[in-house]
Amino acid sequence: MLSSFDHFRANLDDYNDRRERLIKASRDVTNLSKRVIFLLHRIVIESDSDDAAATAAANGREKLRQVQDIYASLKHELEGDRFWRYQRQVSPGLQEYIEALSFAHYLEHKSLITFDQVQETLCDPDGVPYFPLTVSDYLLGLSDLTGELMRFAISAISRRGGRTKAIEVCAFVRACKAGAHAHQFLRLKLTSGGSDFERVTPYIRDLSKKQAVTAQSLEKIEDEYALPPEMLDDIVARSISKLSHGDDQQTKWRRDDGEGEEI
């Protein structure tokens, strides 16, 4: 009897220790993925070159290798049916990783990353997955992408040519919300009653909440580029003029600093 309880205690200790390790790893993955997302936004915003998006995507993919290394180290922790036992500890970081990866993919290819492409990034050199990618984690990660696209579009709208870019992003987010891309990547049949995302939403936890956020992101993008292009160009021109005037005024103040403050 005592040996049985010792066995149960060892199993519980092993479960709790592994659970804590996976939670910590998931937090590390989340933090690294968020840093990659910030990096992608920063490179695209600060650079005016035509290949800024491709440069950002390349830098982002390089940084995401740190996440892939973490998942490689967890392969033995998630062997067999362990993944399903600890899926709730793995999912938060995995969804954040998919969000960062899909954002980099969009900047480079202007399309959604496929389910198979995400799974390929979570495989060893022989093509063996570290763990199985679930459809729910894939869809939830993609749903988070629309928020980053909204920020990307709004940050671009204040620059020349940003209206066109915002319209492109808006059309893409609208298609995501409608599920227009889902049949292409998940190979689900479209139904006459609605889109694929609408059809699977009741069966995937939290997807309805994230689709509501997608609708809000779409409205924000539409509100931003709803202004006439002439008005947007005038706003940008006036902003640039004010910045230039401010720089000239600061230069004059520095020049007159020794003679007294200018009033």
Side-chain angles (χ1 to χ4, degrees), residues 61 98 101-102 105-106 111-115 117-118 121 138 142 145 185:
R61 288 182 181 276
I98 293 173
L101 182 65
S102 60
H105 183 88
Y106 174 81
S111 64
L112 276 181
I113 191 169
T114 69
F115 180 90
Q117 286 173 329
V118 175
T121 67
Y138 170 71
L142 288 186
L145 169 66
F185 302 114

Side-chain angles (χ1 to χ4, degrees), residues 5 12 19 34 48 82 98 101 127 138 142 153 198 217 230 236 240 261:
F5 278 103
L12 285 174
R19 181 175 177 275
K34 286 184 180 296
D48 293 326
R82 286 179 182 169
I98 293 173
L101 182 65
Y138 170 71
L142 288 186
E198 293 172 347
S217 298
E230 298 82 4
V236 172
I240 294 174
E261 292 185 358

Side-chain angles (χ1 to χ4, degrees), residues 98-257:
I98 293 173
E99 178 184 359
L101 182 65
S102 60
F103 188 27
H105 183 88
Y106 174 81
L107 291 176
E108 186 175 6
H109 302 287
K110 299 296 184 291
S111 64
L112 276 181
I113 191 169
T114 69
F115 180 90
D116 291 338
Q117 286 173 329
V118 175
Q119 182 69 85
E120 286 174 3
T121 67
L122 300 171
C123 294
D124 62 21
D126 296 327
V128 179
Y130 303 136
F131 52 82
L133 175 65
T134 65
V135 171
S136 60
D137 284 332
Y138 170 71
L139 286 177
L140 291 170
L142 288 186
S143 294
D144 289 334
L145 169 66
T146 57
E148 300 308 325
L149 292 179
M150 178 267 293
R151 296 180 185 91
F152 172 61
I154 291 177
S155 64
I157 200 91
S158 61
R159 308 171 71 180
R160 293 192 183 277
R163 177 183 169 85
T164 300
K165 187 176 295 184
I167 292 175
E168 292 175 355
V169 173
C170 184
F172 184 82
V173 174
R174 189 181 293 114
C176 290
K177 179 179 179 297
H181 298 292
H183 71 284
Q184 183 178 357
F185 302 114
L186 295 177
R187 298 194 179 101
L188 298 173
K189 293 182 179 179
L190 288 169
T191 62
S192 57
S195 65
D196 287 324
F197 274 106
E198 293 172 347
R199 184 156 64 92
V200 300
T201 293
Y203 308 104
I204 297 180
R205 183 179 180 180
D206 294 332
L207 185 56
S208 60
K209 296 179 182 178
K210 295 200 175 187
Q211 285 297 293
V213 175
T214 296
Q216 294 174 0
S217 298
L218 179 61
E219 290 176 2
K220 290 178 181 178
I221 300 173
E222 291 173 337
D223 289 342
E224 287 294 329
Y225 83 75
L227 294 173
E230 298 82 4
M231 186 178 297
L232 282 174
D233 290 340
D234 182 57
I235 292 174
V236 172
R238 280 186 293 173
S239 298
I240 294 174
S241 176
K242 287 180 180 179
L243 288 174
S244 300
H245 177 70
D247 292 341
D248 293 341
Q249 193 70 17
Q250 288 181 7
T251 301
K252 184 178 180 182
W253 282 341
R254 292 192 192 100
R255 192 167 54 244
D256 297 340
D257 188 49

Side-chain angles (χ1 to χ4, degrees), residues 18 21-22 73-79 82-83 86:
R18 180 174 287 107
R21 289 195 297 271
L22 291 173
S73 68
L74 296 178
K75 182 179 180 181
H76 68 285
E77 301 273 19
L78 300 170
E79 289 179 338
R82 286 179 182 169
F83 171 77
Y86 298 99

